[in-house]
Amino acid sequence: MRFSIERGEILSRLESVASAVAQKTVKPVLSGVLFKATTEGKIELLATDLETAIKAVTTPVHIDGEGAFVVEAKVILEVIRNLPSGEIIFELQDNNLIVRVEKSKFVLPTISPDQFPEIEPTHGGIEIETSVTVLELMIDRVIFCAAKDEFMRNLNGIYWELQGGYLRLVAADGFRLALAEEKIESDVEDRFLLTLKSMKDLQSSIKTALSDDLRIIYDGAKVGFYFDGIEMIARVVDAEFPDYRKVLPKAFKTRVVANTTVLSDAIRRASIAARLGSESVKIELKGESIKLIAKSPEHGESTEELDVKKEGDDILIAFNPRFLADSIKKIDTEEVELNFVDSNSPLQMNPVDVEGYLYIIMPIRLI
Amino acid sequence: MPSQEGGSTLDYVAHIDMDAFFASVEQASNPQLKGKAIIVTGRGLRHSVVTTASYEAKKKGVRSGMSGYEASKFCPDAIFVEVDAKKYEYVSREIMKLLYSVSPKILVASIDEAYIDLSHFENLKEALFHLKNLKLKLMREYGLTASIGIASNPMLAKIGSDFKKPNGFVVICQGSEREFLKHVNIKDIPGVGPHTLIKLSSYGYKKAIDLIEADDFFLYSNFGNALLGLKKALLTNSFSRTEFFKKSFPKSIGHSMTLSRDIDDGELINRVACFLGARVIYRMRRKGFEAEGVSLFLKYSDFRVVRTSRKLNFPLSDTQRMNQVLYWLIEELWDGEPVRALGVSCNRLKPSSSLSKQLNLLDTKKDLVPISLKIEEAFGKYSLFPASILAISGL
């Protein structure tokens, strides 16, 4: 088996599949990428950690013979990244892969492709169409709120909901929640949960896409994402995501509108004193001003005061500043809206006059 | 009482270690046990593990950590006594109070050992007089013996207290450290583990002095920084007293239990783990800490021990999250074989931040820990536990 491919082409395809490679594994074959020559004269690249699988197809400049091999993902990526641009020649010889460009030559050991797991494609199911740009933005708006601890199985991922002509992504870690939604040309109704690892894989794979069309298929057990010649299959999590609608506040007593950058900078500064001390920032809303207070018995105190537009009651409430900072970073309108109920109820943060995403953050008890 | 004023003149520190503490307390509180081989075990006596053996039992080969069954083979006429934590904690507190009559600076290292700062004494003679007096008082008032080591640094003092057990009194004068270390086996240096020991003996290192005289580069290239640090700690006489005697955090808080029968019911294992987890949370909360790591160990009926731990992304201080973590750890660790003992501990401890008051969005159940703590205060430890584990825990 022998083929040659342009360096740029093979590198971008490898980068998009490599994110699915298993990080910690007892099966060496899962740390590799499977290269397979198809009968149509193309090369298929495949990587999986058994939860997620990503496949990319590329067209070589020349190809002779059939065959397949698995090569360590990290090694092949590093080799190709460091090769000069031009046509790279790949040749399989006695279980070794020879990689050659001009006068550079690498001989890399391979793993038998027979050990590589079979990847089952999606079977039937529902199908929606959206765009790479839209999905990338939606994931970015919610992914940071997902629980990072694997033991929280039902929160360690992103919840997908198709309902009433909308695609909704929700992530929560128990203390905060993020929701992003987008209209879609479909009236299918369904819901599923995908792991944080799959979502991160999708995020890094989608970045390499050159075209914008994206098709999503859900067959009840797996979700397939199809874009730019790439196919990603992710297994859904067998755990129930909590009923997020229950925690969305129904009515508010105080509404504040502030300049996003000014408030974001103030939160960042307040979190310095907070980090060294109580790890909480108090927010005092009085009249037309908002005051952020962070105290530390050893490192002093910081206060930030800024003018805001306020409707409703005065309030005193405390938050983990990291939660505020993480969310406000994602607000891309000039002004941000903060909606409060009382000091023990969640805050809703959302952009002003733009629909489509919002953040819910639980406060810290004051006493 | 020595003067507490004046400049620190004496560069010495003492380490006191109570001899076979649990067993000695039992013997002291029950005259019928005096002079006899006794074995203090956890709940369940012979089915449990040896926590302490009296010197009479130790002579016959009984060691802490052995199973009760194994110990009774070494010492068939031993008297088994069930551990009485309340009693030992009480005596320990009383002893620690007594230590303050010797020095204002004490570092309690565990229930039965402590470091005593001697820098406020005028000279060594005066310090030794007070320490000998302390031993007399311990004997007279509590009927207990202790071993004391006195040296220019805490590490040597600890080795000293262990050097002539029981009822030892070992003084390592400044300038005679190297001579003393010629008589100390490497295995008796705190911090030298079994693997390091095997490796060291393969290079022919037997005595502590061999380590002192070893080439630094050789130690670094074979063992990394660990042994270099030990070597330095053994010889230093300029350790920072303020830093050392400062109140330090515990590294971890844990609870374990040997079951009264082996269990292979996953649900039951989970419940016992959650019960232990709750105990850890209660203790941690009482001490004002939260944890960023949790560990679990299982001991199978064939005595095989497996353990796992997890670093958490958000500090843990409530039982609900503890249960979630434990379910996950058990799923990862347990291979389905019958379990004989298990233990849960919290590590990466830090003082509770206000984050422990962080309200939960999805789980609106009330934090039951404060109420549980009040119940325990009123009715004693272990007054709350799931009924399902009654039959196997010996509670």
Side-chain angles (χ1 to χ4, degrees), chain B residues 283-336:
Chain B
R283 227 168 98 203
M284 198 168 75
R285 288 275 284 263
R286 256 195 218 110
K287 289 178 189 275
F289 290 108
E290 55 191 27
E292 283 181 341
V294 175
S295 308
L296 169 82
F297 83 79
L298 298 176
K299 192 188 230 176
Y300 290 109
S301 46
D302 59 0
F303 288 85
R304 197 161 38 96
V305 177
V306 286
R307 56 182 79 236
T308 183
S309 42
R310 233 344 155 277
K311 187 180 173 294
L312 307 173
N313 285 296
F314 198 84
L316 172 81
S317 61
D318 64 294
T319 47
Q320 279 122 341
R321 272 185 75 230
M322 180 61 144
N323 293 353
Q324 276 184 319
V325 179
L326 290 171
Y327 275 115
W328 175 266
L329 293 181
I330 289 170
E331 196 177 290
E332 182 188 274
L333 193 65
W334 184 47
D335 64 6

Side-chain angles (χ1 to χ4, degrees), chain B residues 46-206:
Chain B
R46 271 160 220 270
H47 197 91
S48 181
V49 233
V50 177
T51 60
T52 322
S54 69
Y55 277 89
E56 294 81 3
K58 278 188 182 174
K59 268 185 209 153
K60 298 198 173 167
V62 180
R63 295 283 173 268
S64 303
M66 269 183 183
S67 73
Y69 175 73
E70 209 180 343
S72 60
K73 273 191 188 164
F74 279 99
C75 189
D77 53 351
I79 301 167
F80 280 78
V81 182
E82 206 171 82
V83 72
D84 182 353
K86 261 191 184 165
K87 186 155 64 183
Y88 315 141
E89 277 166 18
Y90 170 78
V91 179
S92 172
R93 272 198 303 273
E94 291 299 306
I95 293 171
M96 298 309 169
K97 272 190 227 161
L98 208 56
L99 300 190
Y100 282 101
S101 67
V102 178
S103 170
K105 277 188 201 158
I106 302 293
L107 177 80
V108 178
S110 74
I111 192 163
D112 62 350
E113 56 177 321
Y115 292 90
I116 307 168
D117 181 39
L118 304 176
S119 62
H120 57 292
F121 287 108
E122 289 286 315
N123 53 51
L124 187 58
K125 204 175 147 195
E126 195 193 346
L128 297 185
F129 170 76
H130 281 274
L131 289 170
K132 278 182 183 156
N133 226 346
L134 172 71
K135 282 188 64 150
L136 278 178
K137 267 193 211 165
L138 282 172
M139 192 52 189
R140 219 180 294 141
E141 290 176 28
Y142 301 100
L144 298 173
T145 63
S147 296
I148 300 182
I150 300 107
S152 47
N153 67 54
M155 173 81 105
L156 267 186
K158 186 171 165 64
I159 296 174
S161 72
D162 196 40
F163 194 65
K164 271 194 182 153
K165 262 185 162 301
N167 207 7
F169 194 84
V170 174
V171 186
I172 302 139
C173 291
Q174 276 167 18
S176 68
E177 288 93 348
R178 282 171 183 269
E179 184 56 35
F180 172 71
L181 290 172
K182 281 184 191 166
H183 306 284
V184 174
N185 292 321
I186 284 193
K187 73 170 173 50
D188 295 328
I189 303 176
V192 177
H195 293 290
T196 314
L197 197 62
I198 293 170
K199 211 166 157 189
L200 278 169
S201 64
S202 75
Y203 289 114
Y205 289 20
K206 289 192 182 66

